[in-house]
Amino acid sequence: MNELLKNLTEAVGVSSNEKEVRLLIRDLIANYVDEWHVDALGNLLALKKGTGASPLRVLVDAHMDEVGLMITDIDSNGTLKFEGVGGFNDRTLLGKVVQVGPKKITGVIGARPVHLLEANQRNSVVKIDAMRIDIGAKNKDAASGKVKVGEFAAFVTEYEELGVTAVGKAFDDRAGCAALVELLRARPYPFDLYASFSVQEEVGLRGAEVAAYGINPDVALVLECTPAYDLPNENDVSSNVALGKGPSIYVMDRVTIQDPRLVGHITRTAVANGIPFQIRQPGGGGTNTAVIQRTRGGIPAATIAVPGRHAHTPTMIINLEDYANVIKLAEATLRSLTPDVIKRN
Amino acid sequence: MNELIKKLVEAYGPSGFEDGMRDLIRPEIEAYADEISVDALGNLIAVKKGSGGGLKVMIAAHMDEIGVMVTHITQDGFLRFTNIGGVLPHNLMGSRVQFANGVIGVISSDRLEDRSKIHPLTKFFIDVGASSPDDCPVGVGDAAGFIRPFLAQGKRLTAKAMDDRIGCVVAIETLKRLKTTPHDVYFAFTVQEEVGVRGAMTAANHLDPDVGIALDVTLTGDVPEARPMAISLGQGAAIKVKDSGMIAHAGLVRLMKQRAEAAQISYQLEVLDGGSTDARSMQIANGGTAAGCISIPCRYVHSQSETVDADDVESCIKLLVEILANPINL
Ligand SMILES: [Zn+2]
Ligand SMILES: [Zn+2]
């Protein structure tokens, strides 16, 4: 059992409410870094000093936050109205168990049972504003004693390993956080390595923007968990990435064109080290690379991601070999990163 | 000048992949710039030092062009692709694109059931002559630019990527003709404009200019059934007042008009409904920049036959030289 992944994914940290995750990571890395601090937005920033061989300052980022819900109102019958924090497909929410507020009160996202549905209702999607969280309170007063409006709710999914795959919540992006913890625990790099465990990615890449501004590195690498959509498909189309085919390397998404020199360096590193990799299908999505790349005078940046099925639902699945290979590839990429890689004529 | 235009418009340089453009532009400006550098995102920046007492002025023209990127190779060796920048499906049928490695492909689409409708981009494909993923000479993640020869017919100049290589030409010619200036002028040949004015953003953050002027194409209202717009080919340089991303600095607009009138350069005022330019990035960089834009009127923008008028190009160059050669009082 990978304790690091278990602890990180089971911790709760909906965007802007990442403290539990931050404290956990702080304790995991404190002995392996030279300095750490928490910035104004809540990003956990750490410095692992290099051997002095290279003048570069390199940032590696992974976001601590996960998608979740926020309680917006309490109905007279004691059920809780809520809104999504981060992107959701409404149909993935019904019937799921959540933990509400700092006391982690158990609730269930209520649905009208199939027996009571009209024929036309069976074919339509229930909208999020028609759903309620049921915490077993008998009326508004009883519910108000347990939960306050503005508190967050997170999914409840116990980490589990099924052979080479792992099931859990929030692999997006605790898998990236875990990988970054492992990178910090390794021996020193030729350069000073700055780690940012960033906040509020899921609501618009907000934490990484200020983290990158504060650190102002020469190069940045983002570790993510990217949606795999690789279930059987009749048409001749590719999955964006597939589980078990190795770390996925971004080239272009909706908001970023990754630095081609870094993409080249990463793919060459993978080939040289016999690490499998896949090019993530260009198109949608976006990562912290977008804001890091465009900070200050510009920062060459690229993304390596663990493929994860069922992203932004209560239960994700990753392949543990992909995860291990992301760590291997990220470490090899960093150790062979020289100023020449990003030099321009 | 047509030779320079031809060289730039026919070159490969989709957003994010502008290395070749930089290599083409650098030798054109080397003899005229005091310093040349390339920044972290790939913007090429040429400095012309002022004689003193002037401002720090940034001129931005983007090197990148719209293009496509491969997303999937079918079992039969056809390439599905996504857009880089504002690629319009109705301009795609029969187009040719070229990849960085020289491979050329032809674009077509799945069978059209209803000819009155246009397929979305996902139903188009590129044929590079491959018959399977194994013998396909390009891969997922490879970028391609459109190809089409430059055409000069009288005053009318037609090409793909006139947006914004013609702006680059205006910048290059201005640098060549600008004998003396009180200002420190930073000519930035920017990257990644077509995907969201990204290059100009970091360049402006870094340079922190007092004044920023973008050089880019703008739409016209002078073709049949056009959306009403008071810009016509051949009527002069377009001084941007507003577009959907920026309201130009009023003092800068006033100064541009004054300089044009004083030097008898024909100009028109531009209000653009859709789209924006590098001026937007410059305007909101750091603590803010007095920003404006001199636009080259252009028909059929984001098609492979973008058309400008040689007299308008000349007016834009003259206007920019007039602005830079004299004091700028805002
Ligand atoms: Zn993520
Ligand atoms: Zn343009």
PDB file of all heavy atoms in Angstrom, chain A residues 61-95:
ATOM      1  N   ASP A  61       5.793  22.528  -9.570  1.00  0.00           N
ATOM      2  CA  ASP A  61       4.502  22.858  -8.974  1.00  0.00           C
ATOM      3  C   ASP A  61       3.542  21.674  -9.038  1.00  0.00           C
ATOM      4  O   ASP A  61       3.523  20.928 -10.016  1.00  0.00           O
ATOM      5  CB  ASP A  61       3.882  24.051  -9.729  1.00  0.00           C
ATOM      6  CG  ASP A  61       2.441  24.325  -9.302  1.00  0.00           C
ATOM      7  OD1 ASP A  61       2.247  25.093  -8.337  1.00  0.00           O
ATOM      8  OD2 ASP A  61       1.507  23.755  -9.906  1.00  0.00           O
ATOM      9  N   ALA A  62       2.763  21.517  -7.971  1.00  0.00           N
ATOM     10  CA  ALA A  62       1.629  20.582  -7.992  1.00  0.00           C
ATOM     11  C   ALA A  62       0.548  21.226  -7.135  1.00  0.00           C
ATOM     12  O   ALA A  62       0.855  21.837  -6.108  1.00  0.00           O
ATOM     13  CB  ALA A  62       2.028  19.227  -7.422  1.00  0.00           C
ATOM     14  N   HIS A  63      -0.718  21.116  -7.556  1.00  0.00           N
ATOM     15  CA  HIS A  63      -1.734  21.812  -6.766  1.00  0.00           C
ATOM     16  C   HIS A  63      -2.337  20.925  -5.686  1.00  0.00           C
ATOM     17  O   HIS A  63      -2.588  19.738  -5.899  1.00  0.00           O
ATOM     18  CB  HIS A  63      -2.802  22.465  -7.648  1.00  0.00           C
ATOM     19  CG  HIS A  63      -3.717  21.545  -8.403  1.00  0.00           C
ATOM     20  ND1 HIS A  63      -4.902  21.092  -7.869  1.00  0.00           N
ATOM     21  CD2 HIS A  63      -3.648  21.036  -9.648  1.00  0.00           C
ATOM     22  CE1 HIS A  63      -5.523  20.335  -8.776  1.00  0.00           C
ATOM     23  NE2 HIS A  63      -4.789  20.283  -9.858  1.00  0.00           N
ATOM     24  N   MET A  64      -2.528  21.510  -4.523  1.00  0.00           N
ATOM     25  CA  MET A  64      -3.035  20.788  -3.359  1.00  0.00           C
ATOM     26  C   MET A  64      -4.545  20.668  -3.379  1.00  0.00           C
ATOM     27  O   MET A  64      -5.113  19.777  -2.750  1.00  0.00           O
ATOM     28  CB  MET A  64      -2.668  21.543  -2.069  1.00  0.00           C
ATOM     29  CG  MET A  64      -1.195  21.613  -1.767  1.00  0.00           C
ATOM     30  SD  MET A  64      -0.910  22.270  -0.101  1.00  0.00           S
ATOM     31  CE  MET A  64      -1.334  24.005  -0.307  1.00  0.00           C
ATOM     32  N   ASP A  65      -5.219  21.604  -4.027  1.00  0.00           N
ATOM     33  CA  ASP A  65      -6.681  21.646  -3.903  1.00  0.00           C
ATOM     34  C   ASP A  65      -7.368  20.595  -4.760  1.00  0.00           C
ATOM     35  O   ASP A  65      -6.801  20.073  -5.712  1.00  0.00           O
ATOM     36  CB  ASP A  65      -7.215  23.045  -4.255  1.00  0.00           C
ATOM     37  CG  ASP A  65      -6.936  23.434  -5.699  1.00  0.00           C
ATOM     38  OD1 ASP A  65      -5.803  23.242  -6.168  1.00  0.00           O
ATOM     39  OD2 ASP A  65      -7.862  23.926  -6.374  1.00  0.00           O
ATOM     40  N   GLU A  66      -8.573  20.290  -4.386  1.00  0.00           N
ATOM     41  CA  GLU A  66      -9.415  19.343  -5.113  1.00  0.00           C
ATOM     42  C   GLU A  66     -10.775  19.999  -5.358  1.00  0.00           C
ATOM     43  O   GLU A  66     -11.146  20.948  -4.659  1.00  0.00           O
ATOM     44  CB  GLU A  66      -9.615  18.060  -4.297  1.00  0.00           C
ATOM     45  CG  GLU A  66     -10.418  18.285  -3.010  1.00  0.00           C
ATOM     46  CD  GLU A  66     -10.443  17.067  -2.081  1.00  0.00           C
ATOM     47  OE1 GLU A  66     -11.038  16.056  -2.481  1.00  0.00           O
ATOM     48  OE2 GLU A  66      -9.852  17.141  -0.989  1.00  0.00           O
ATOM     49  N   VAL A  67     -11.498  19.479  -6.329  1.00  0.00           N
ATOM     50  CA  VAL A  67     -12.850  19.984  -6.555  1.00  0.00           C
ATOM     51  C   VAL A  67     -13.748  19.524  -5.402  1.00  0.00           C
ATOM     52  O   VAL A  67     -13.486  18.518  -4.769  1.00  0.00           O
ATOM     53  CB  VAL A  67     -13.438  19.499  -7.898  1.00  0.00           C
ATOM     54  CG1 VAL A  67     -12.666  20.080  -9.057  1.00  0.00           C
ATOM     55  CG2 VAL A  67     -13.470  17.983  -7.971  1.00  0.00           C
ATOM     56  N   GLY A  68     -14.783  20.288  -5.117  1.00  0.00           N
ATOM     57  CA  GLY A  68     -15.684  19.940  -4.016  1.00  0.00           C
ATOM     58  C   GLY A  68     -16.935  20.792  -4.089  1.00  0.00           C
ATOM     59  O   GLY A  68     -17.288  21.312  -5.154  1.00  0.00           O
ATOM     60  N   LEU A  69     -17.578  20.942  -2.969  1.00  0.00           N
ATOM     61  CA  LEU A  69     -18.850  21.665  -2.929  1.00  0.00           C
ATOM     62  C   LEU A  69     -18.812  22.713  -1.839  1.00  0.00           C
ATOM     63  O   LEU A  69     -18.055  22.597  -0.878  1.00  0.00           O
ATOM     64  CB  LEU A  69     -19.997  20.684  -2.646  1.00  0.00           C
ATOM     65  CG  LEU A  69     -20.018  19.394  -3.473  1.00  0.00           C
ATOM     66  CD1 LEU A  69     -21.070  18.444  -2.928  1.00  0.00           C
ATOM     67  CD2 LEU A  69     -20.280  19.710  -4.938  1.00  0.00           C
ATOM     68  N   MET A  70     -19.646  23.741  -1.993  1.00  0.00           N
ATOM     69  CA  MET A  70     -19.792  24.717  -0.917  1.00  0.00           C
ATOM     70  C   MET A  70     -21.268  24.829  -0.540  1.00  0.00           C
ATOM     71  O   MET A  70     -22.135  24.936  -1.416  1.00  0.00           O
ATOM     72  CB  MET A  70     -19.264  26.087  -1.320  1.00  0.00           C
ATOM     73  CG  MET A  70     -19.373  27.094  -0.176  1.00  0.00           C
ATOM     74  SD  MET A  70     -18.866  28.743  -0.636  1.00  0.00           S
ATOM     75  CE  MET A  70     -17.121  28.654  -0.253  1.00  0.00           C
ATOM     76  N   ILE A  71     -21.526  24.805   0.765  1.00  0.00           N
ATOM     77  CA  ILE A  71     -22.899  24.913   1.255  1.00  0.00           C
ATOM     78  C   ILE A  71     -23.364  26.360   1.090  1.00  0.00           C
ATOM     79  O   ILE A  71     -22.703  27.289   1.551  1.00  0.00           O
ATOM     80  CB  ILE A  71     -22.989  24.524   2.749  1.00  0.00           C
ATOM     81  CG1 ILE A  71     -22.312  23.170   2.994  1.00  0.00           C
ATOM     82  CG2 ILE A  71     -24.441  24.532   3.230  1.00  0.00           C
ATOM     83  CD1 ILE A  71     -22.835  22.030   2.151  1.00  0.00           C
ATOM     84  N   THR A  72     -24.489  26.535   0.400  1.00  0.00           N
ATOM     85  CA  THR A  72     -24.954  27.903   0.126  1.00  0.00           C
ATOM     86  C   THR A  72     -26.233  28.260   0.887  1.00  0.00           C
ATOM     87  O   THR A  72     -26.569  29.432   1.017  1.00  0.00           O
ATOM     88  CB  THR A  72     -25.234  28.087  -1.380  1.00  0.00           C
ATOM     89  OG1 THR A  72     -26.187  27.094  -1.785  1.00  0.00           O
ATOM     90  CG2 THR A  72     -23.967  27.936  -2.196  1.00  0.00           C
ATOM     91  N   ASP A  73     -26.968  27.257   1.378  1.00  0.00           N
ATOM     92  CA  ASP A  73     -28.224  27.550   2.072  1.00  0.00           C
ATOM     93  C   ASP A  73     -28.683  26.284   2.796  1.00  0.00           C
ATOM     94  O   ASP A  73     -28.265  25.176   2.448  1.00  0.00           O
ATOM     95  CB  ASP A  73     -29.291  27.994   1.055  1.00  0.00           C
ATOM     96  CG  ASP A  73     -30.424  28.781   1.734  1.00  0.00           C
ATOM     97  OD1 ASP A  73     -30.328  29.028   2.966  1.00  0.00           O
ATOM     98  OD2 ASP A  73     -31.396  29.124   1.042  1.00  0.00           O
ATOM     99  N   ILE A  74     -29.517  26.485   3.800  1.00  0.00           N
ATOM    100  CA  ILE A  74     -30.088  25.331   4.499  1.00  0.00           C
ATOM    101  C   ILE A  74     -31.602  25.422   4.366  1.00  0.00           C
ATOM    102  O   ILE A  74     -32.211  26.436   4.721  1.00  0.00           O
ATOM    103  CB  ILE A  74     -29.675  25.328   5.985  1.00  0.00           C
ATOM    104  CG1 ILE A  74     -28.136  25.310   6.096  1.00  0.00           C
ATOM    105  CG2 ILE A  74     -30.292  24.125   6.716  1.00  0.00           C
ATOM    106  CD1 ILE A  74     -27.605  25.403   7.519  1.00  0.00           C
ATOM    107  N   ASP A  75     -32.209  24.380   3.831  1.00  0.00           N
ATOM    108  CA  ASP A  75     -33.658  24.375   3.630  1.00  0.00           C
ATOM    109  C   ASP A  75     -34.389  24.137   4.953  1.00  0.00           C
ATOM    110  O   ASP A  75     -33.815  23.646   5.916  1.00  0.00           O
ATOM    111  CB  ASP A  75     -34.046  23.276   2.638  1.00  0.00           C
ATOM    112  CG  ASP A  75     -33.903  23.747   1.197  1.00  0.00           C
ATOM    113  OD1 ASP A  75     -33.721  24.973   0.999  1.00  0.00           O
ATOM    114  OD2 ASP A  75     -33.968  22.910   0.293  1.00  0.00           O
ATOM    115  N   SER A  76     -35.686  24.472   4.959  1.00  0.00           N
ATOM    116  CA  SER A  76     -36.477  24.305   6.191  1.00  0.00           C
ATOM    117  C   SER A  76     -36.511  22.836   6.637  1.00  0.00           C
ATOM    118  O   SER A  76     -36.608  22.541   7.820  1.00  0.00           O
ATOM    119  CB  SER A  76     -37.897  24.818   5.970  1.00  0.00           C
ATOM    120  OG  SER A  76     -38.450  24.180   4.836  1.00  0.00           O
ATOM    121  N   ASN A  77     -36.395  21.915   5.665  1.00  0.00           N
ATOM    122  CA  ASN A  77     -36.425  20.493   6.041  1.00  0.00           C
ATOM    123  C   ASN A  77     -35.063  19.972   6.496  1.00  0.00           C
ATOM    124  O   ASN A  77     -34.883  18.776   6.705  1.00  0.00           O
ATOM    125  CB  ASN A  77     -36.971  19.647   4.891  1.00  0.00           C
ATOM    126  CG  ASN A  77     -36.023  19.644   3.693  1.00  0.00           C
ATOM    127  OD1 ASN A  77     -34.974  20.294   3.717  1.00  0.00           O
ATOM    128  ND2 ASN A  77     -36.388  18.921   2.655  1.00  0.00           N
ATOM    129  N   GLY A  78     -34.076  20.880   6.596  1.00  0.00           N
ATOM    130  CA  GLY A  78     -32.778  20.473   7.126  1.00  0.00           C
ATOM    131  C   GLY A  78     -31.790  19.957   6.096  1.00  0.00           C
ATOM    132  O   GLY A  78     -30.680  19.573   6.441  1.00  0.00           O
ATOM    133  N   THR A  79     -32.182  19.960   4.822  1.00  0.00           N
ATOM    134  CA  THR A  79     -31.211  19.554   3.797  1.00  0.00           C
ATOM    135  C   THR A  79     -30.420  20.776   3.332  1.00  0.00           C
ATOM    136  O   THR A  79     -30.850  21.922   3.505  1.00  0.00           O
ATOM    137  CB  THR A  79     -31.900  18.900   2.578  1.00  0.00           C
ATOM    138  OG1 THR A  79     -32.834  19.822   2.014  1.00  0.00           O
ATOM    139  CG2 THR A  79     -32.622  17.629   2.985  1.00  0.00           C
ATOM    140  N   LEU A  80     -29.239  20.507   2.763  1.00  0.00           N
ATOM    141  CA  LEU A  80     -28.301  21.579   2.436  1.00  0.00           C
ATOM    142  C   LEU A  80     -28.242  21.825   0.938  1.00  0.00           C
ATOM    143  O   LEU A  80     -28.049  20.895   0.153  1.00  0.00           O
ATOM    144  CB  LEU A  80     -26.891  21.213   2.923  1.00  0.00           C
ATOM    145  CG  LEU A  80     -26.769  20.625   4.332  1.00  0.00           C
ATOM    146  CD1 LEU A  80     -25.321  20.238   4.609  1.00  0.00           C
ATOM    147  CD2 LEU A  80     -27.272  21.622   5.373  1.00  0.00           C
ATOM    148  N   LYS A  81     -28.400  23.079   0.594  1.00  0.00           N
ATOM    149  CA  LYS A  81     -28.215  23.487  -0.789  1.00  0.00           C
ATOM    150  C   LYS A  81     -26.722  23.722  -1.005  1.00  0.00           C
ATOM    151  O   LYS A  81     -26.016  24.131  -0.081  1.00  0.00           O
ATOM    152  CB  LYS A  81     -28.983  24.795  -1.004  1.00  0.00           C
ATOM    153  CG  LYS A  81     -29.716  24.856  -2.302  1.00  0.00           C
ATOM    154  CD  LYS A  81     -30.518  26.124  -2.434  1.00  0.00           C
ATOM    155  CE  LYS A  81     -30.589  26.396  -3.926  1.00  0.00           C
ATOM    156  NZ  LYS A  81     -31.103  27.683  -4.252  1.00  0.00           N
ATOM    157  N   PHE A  82     -26.242  23.503  -2.227  1.00  0.00           N
ATOM    158  CA  PHE A  82     -24.801  23.667  -2.443  1.00  0.00           C
ATOM    159  C   PHE A  82     -24.480  24.078  -3.868  1.00  0.00           C
ATOM    160  O   PHE A  82     -25.317  23.983  -4.762  1.00  0.00           O
ATOM    161  CB  PHE A  82     -24.064  22.371  -2.095  1.00  0.00           C
ATOM    162  CG  PHE A  82     -24.484  21.195  -2.951  1.00  0.00           C
ATOM    163  CD1 PHE A  82     -23.801  20.896  -4.122  1.00  0.00           C
ATOM    164  CD2 PHE A  82     -25.563  20.405  -2.582  1.00  0.00           C
ATOM    165  CE1 PHE A  82     -24.186  19.819  -4.921  1.00  0.00           C
ATOM    166  CE2 PHE A  82     -25.956  19.327  -3.376  1.00  0.00           C
ATOM    167  CZ  PHE A  82     -25.269  19.033  -4.541  1.00  0.00           C
ATOM    168  N   GLU A  83     -23.260  24.545  -4.031  1.00  0.00           N
ATOM    169  CA  GLU A  83     -22.736  24.862  -5.357  1.00  0.00           C
ATOM    170  C   GLU A  83     -21.421  24.130  -5.561  1.00  0.00           C
ATOM    171  O   GLU A  83     -20.752  23.783  -4.583  1.00  0.00           O
ATOM    172  CB  GLU A  83     -22.467  26.365  -5.472  1.00  0.00           C
ATOM    173  CG  GLU A  83     -23.636  27.132  -6.037  1.00  0.00           C
ATOM    174  CD  GLU A  83     -23.375  28.619  -6.083  1.00  0.00           C
ATOM    175  OE1 GLU A  83     -22.195  29.015  -6.092  1.00  0.00           O
ATOM    176  OE2 GLU A  83     -24.367  29.365  -6.102  1.00  0.00           O
ATOM    177  N   GLY A  84     -21.047  23.935  -6.800  1.00  0.00           N
ATOM    178  CA  GLY A  84     -19.771  23.290  -7.096  1.00  0.00           C
ATOM    179  C   GLY A  84     -18.610  24.254  -6.907  1.00  0.00           C
ATOM    180  O   GLY A  84     -18.726  25.433  -7.211  1.00  0.00           O
ATOM    181  N   VAL A  85     -17.499  23.748  -6.400  1.00  0.00           N
ATOM    182  CA  VAL A  85     -16.250  24.512  -6.357  1.00  0.00           C
ATOM    183  C   VAL A  85     -15.317  23.795  -7.329  1.00  0.00           C
ATOM    184  O   VAL A  85     -14.858  22.697  -7.052  1.00  0.00           O
ATOM    185  CB  VAL A  85     -15.651  24.531  -4.937  1.00  0.00           C
ATOM    186  CG1 VAL A  85     -14.337  25.300  -4.930  1.00  0.00           C
ATOM    187  CG2 VAL A  85     -16.642  25.110  -3.939  1.00  0.00           C
ATOM    188  N   GLY A  86     -15.082  24.408  -8.481  1.00  0.00           N
ATOM    189  CA  GLY A  86     -14.367  23.718  -9.555  1.00  0.00           C
ATOM    190  C   GLY A  86     -15.371  23.101 -10.514  1.00  0.00           C
ATOM    191  O   GLY A  86     -16.576  23.156 -10.288  1.00  0.00           O
ATOM    192  N   GLY A  87     -14.873  22.510 -11.582  1.00  0.00           N
ATOM    193  CA  GLY A  87     -15.754  22.035 -12.647  1.00  0.00           C
ATOM    194  C   GLY A  87     -16.349  20.659 -12.397  1.00  0.00           C
ATOM    195  O   GLY A  87     -15.657  19.732 -12.021  1.00  0.00           O
ATOM    196  N   PHE A  88     -17.675  20.543 -12.595  1.00  0.00           N
ATOM    197  CA  PHE A  88     -18.362  19.264 -12.421  1.00  0.00           C
ATOM    198  C   PHE A  88     -19.269  18.973 -13.580  1.00  0.00           C
ATOM    199  O   PHE A  88     -19.821  19.874 -14.197  1.00  0.00           O
ATOM    200  CB  PHE A  88     -19.284  19.297 -11.200  1.00  0.00           C
ATOM    201  CG  PHE A  88     -18.570  19.110  -9.924  1.00  0.00           C
ATOM    202  CD1 PHE A  88     -18.389  20.183  -9.069  1.00  0.00           C
ATOM    203  CD2 PHE A  88     -18.069  17.886  -9.579  1.00  0.00           C
ATOM    204  CE1 PHE A  88     -17.711  20.018  -7.894  1.00  0.00           C
ATOM    205  CE2 PHE A  88     -17.396  17.712  -8.397  1.00  0.00           C
ATOM    206  CZ  PHE A  88     -17.213  18.789  -7.549  1.00  0.00           C
ATOM    207  N   ASN A  89     -19.477  17.701 -13.809  1.00  0.00           N
ATOM    208  CA  ASN A  89     -20.590  17.274 -14.618  1.00  0.00           C
ATOM    209  C   ASN A  89     -21.673  16.901 -13.611  1.00  0.00           C
ATOM    210  O   ASN A  89     -21.494  15.978 -12.812  1.00  0.00           O
ATOM    211  CB  ASN A  89     -20.162  16.052 -15.436  1.00  0.00           C
ATOM    212  CG  ASN A  89     -21.244  15.590 -16.365  1.00  0.00           C
ATOM    213  OD1 ASN A  89     -22.418  15.841 -16.131  1.00  0.00           O
ATOM    214  ND2 ASN A  89     -20.843  14.903 -17.409  1.00  0.00           N
ATOM    215  N   ASP A  90     -22.800  17.619 -13.611  1.00  0.00           N
ATOM    216  CA  ASP A  90     -23.821  17.436 -12.575  1.00  0.00           C
ATOM    217  C   ASP A  90     -24.193  15.970 -12.357  1.00  0.00           C
ATOM    218  O   ASP A  90     -24.446  15.530 -11.238  1.00  0.00           O
ATOM    219  CB  ASP A  90     -25.097  18.222 -12.932  1.00  0.00           C
ATOM    220  CG  ASP A  90     -24.868  19.726 -12.814  1.00  0.00           C
ATOM    221  OD1 ASP A  90     -23.764  20.117 -12.384  1.00  0.00           O
ATOM    222  OD2 ASP A  90     -25.784  20.492 -13.162  1.00  0.00           O
ATOM    223  N   ARG A  91     -24.227  15.199 -13.458  1.00  0.00           N
ATOM    224  CA  ARG A  91     -24.739  13.821 -13.345  1.00  0.00           C
ATOM    225  C   ARG A  91     -23.836  12.917 -12.513  1.00  0.00           C
ATOM    226  O   ARG A  91     -24.215  11.818 -12.168  1.00  0.00           O
ATOM    227  CB  ARG A  91     -24.990  13.237 -14.726  1.00  0.00           C
ATOM    228  CG  ARG A  91     -23.748  12.881 -15.488  1.00  0.00           C
ATOM    229  CD  ARG A  91     -24.077  12.549 -16.921  1.00  0.00           C
ATOM    230  NE  ARG A  91     -24.297  13.765 -17.699  1.00  0.00           N
ATOM    231  CZ  ARG A  91     -25.012  13.820 -18.815  1.00  0.00           C
ATOM    232  NH1 ARG A  91     -25.644  12.756 -19.233  1.00  0.00           N
ATOM    233  NH2 ARG A  91     -25.109  14.934 -19.483  1.00  0.00           N
ATOM    234  N   THR A  92     -22.594  13.370 -12.204  1.00  0.00           N
ATOM    235  CA  THR A  92     -21.716  12.507 -11.413  1.00  0.00           C
ATOM    236  C   THR A  92     -21.957  12.657  -9.913  1.00  0.00           C
ATOM    237  O   THR A  92     -21.349  11.968  -9.113  1.00  0.00           O
ATOM    238  CB  THR A  92     -20.227  12.814 -11.686  1.00  0.00           C
ATOM    239  OG1 THR A  92     -19.973  14.155 -11.254  1.00  0.00           O
ATOM    240  CG2 THR A  92     -19.879  12.672 -13.144  1.00  0.00           C
ATOM    241  N   LEU A  93     -22.836  13.583  -9.522  1.00  0.00           N
ATOM    242  CA  LEU A  93     -22.956  13.909  -8.098  1.00  0.00           C
ATOM    243  C   LEU A  93     -24.002  13.094  -7.342  1.00  0.00           C
ATOM    244  O   LEU A  93     -23.820  12.789  -6.160  1.00  0.00           O
ATOM    245  CB  LEU A  93     -23.293  15.405  -7.939  1.00  0.00           C
ATOM    246  CG  LEU A  93     -22.168  16.368  -8.329  1.00  0.00           C
ATOM    247  CD1 LEU A  93     -22.667  17.800  -8.253  1.00  0.00           C
ATOM    248  CD2 LEU A  93     -20.964  16.177  -7.429  1.00  0.00           C
ATOM    249  N   LEU A  94     -25.086  12.766  -8.014  1.00  0.00           N
ATOM    250  CA  LEU A  94     -26.207  12.149  -7.297  1.00  0.00           C
ATOM    251  C   LEU A  94     -25.835  10.860  -6.577  1.00  0.00           C
ATOM    252  O   LEU A  94     -25.140  10.013  -7.125  1.00  0.00           O
ATOM    253  CB  LEU A  94     -27.339  11.852  -8.279  1.00  0.00           C
ATOM    254  CG  LEU A  94     -28.188  13.059  -8.669  1.00  0.00           C
ATOM    255  CD1 LEU A  94     -29.288  12.636  -9.621  1.00  0.00           C
ATOM    256  CD2 LEU A  94     -28.781  13.708  -7.425  1.00  0.00           C
ATOM    257  N   GLY A  95     -26.318  10.752  -5.345  1.00  0.00           N
ATOM    258  CA  GLY A  95     -26.134   9.522  -4.596  1.00  0.00           C
ATOM    259  C   GLY A  95     -24.766   9.374  -3.956  1.00  0.00           C
ATOM    260  O   GLY A  95     -24.485   8.358  -3.339  1.00  0.00           O
TER     261      GLY A  95
END
